[in-house]
Amino acid sequence: ADHYDSVVVSASSSETPEEVSAIVKTVKAHNPALPVVVGGTVLKHNADLASRTGADLATNDLICASRLFSVAK
């Protein structure tokens, strides 16, 4: 079986929160404990993307995201 530390989704500004949410829900359905981070230009117009999609974090800061990965281990 494959092992992943996290899933990072980069979405463009043309992606809707609903589209990003569908990806997050698919990941969480397979492994609820797997951290999901969303980022990309979609954050310019959706600052609350984590709460709207069920992601664990919404950021374009890779260092910030990597802290979440190390906590989840």
Side-chain angles (χ1 to χ4, degrees):
D2 293 326
H3 172 78
Y4 300 96
D5 293 328
S6 64
V7 172
V8 179
V9 178
S10 179
S12 71
S13 58
S14 65
E15 307 290 337
T16 66
E18 293 76 22
E19 291 170 312
V20 176
S21 180
I23 296 167
V24 173
K25 286 178 183 176
T26 298
V27 171
K28 292 292 190 176
H30 286 49
N31 185 346
L34 190 64
V36 178
V37 178
V38 294
T41 56
V42 69
L43 292 179
K44 287 184 180 180
H45 304 289
N46 299 284
D48 60 343
L49 197 61
S51 64
R52 294 178 68 185
T53 63
D56 297 289
L57 180 67
T59 185
N60 285 323
D61 182 338
L62 190 56
I63 292 172
C64 179
S66 68
R67 288 185 190 119
L68 175 67
F69 308 152
S70 63
V71 169
K73 285 187 174 182

